[in-house]
Amino acid sequence: MSGHDTHNEHHDEHHDEVGYHGSYRDYLIGFIASVILTAIPFALVMTGVLPVQTTAILIVAFAMVQMVVHMIYFLHLHPKSEGGWNMLAFIFTIVVVVIAVAGSVWVMWHLNTNMMPVHNMTGMG
C-alpha cells in the first residue's frame, strides 16, 4: 500500500474520529431539512387548514423531528462519535429530564387533587 492509499483509507473513515465536525453536504442536508420542518408548521398555522388541536399536535411532532435532525446533522450525535460516550451522555440527560418533569407534574397533580377546597367566607359575617 502506498502512502496515498493509506490517506484515502483514513479519509474514508474520518467519521469515526473524535474530532469529526461534519462535511459541507451534512450541513446542507441538515439546513434544508430544518427549513422544511419549520416551513410546514408555519404554513399550517398561517393557512388554518386544520383544526387547532391537530395543528398543535403536528407542530409538536415536527419540532421533535427537527430536534433529531439538529442532533444528527449539527451536533453530530451518533453512536460512533466519541466512542459512544456522547450518545450515552445524551440518553442519561434525557432520562434525568424526563424523571424531573414527570415527578414535577405528578407532585403538582397530587397537590391540586388533594388540597382542601376553599370555602366562601363572605357569607359567614
Side-chain angles (χ1 to χ4, degrees):
M1 246 188 201
S2 68
H4 181 68
D5 292 336
T6 305
H7 176 66
N8 285 340
E9 184 178 312
H10 176 71
H11 180 68
D12 292 339
E13 295 181 12
H14 77 292
H15 287 280
D16 295 334
E17 291 178 14
V18 173
Y20 175 67
H21 293 291
S23 67
Y24 178 77
R25 181 178 175 268
D26 289 340
Y27 285 117
L28 188 61
I29 290 170
F31 175 73
I32 291 170
S34 295
V35 168
I36 291 169
L37 291 169
T38 300
I40 292 172
F42 183 79
L44 288 174
V45 170
M46 294 305 289
T47 59
V49 294
L50 297 174
V52 175
Q53 293 84 4
T54 306
T55 303
I57 290 169
L58 285 173
I59 289 172
V60 170
F62 275 97
M64 293 166 75
V65 171
Q66 192 169 39
M67 285 190 299
V68 171
V69 167
H70 282 242
M71 286 186 294
I72 292 170
Y73 288 103
F74 299 123
L75 298 177
H76 314 294
L77 191 62
H78 50 82
K80 293 181 181 178
S81 66
E82 302 277 341
W85 286 107
N86 280 347
M87 185 64 79
L88 188 62
F90 174 72
I91 291 169
F92 176 74
T93 302
I94 294 298
V95 168
V96 169
V97 168
V98 166
I99 289 171
V101 169
S104 297
V105 169
W106 181 68
V107 167
M108 296 293 189
W109 184 79
H110 275 281
L111 284 173
N112 185 45
T113 304
N114 296 324
M115 294 297 289
M116 293 189 59
V118 178
H119 298 287
N120 188 356
M121 301 292 248
T122 56
M124 296 184 80

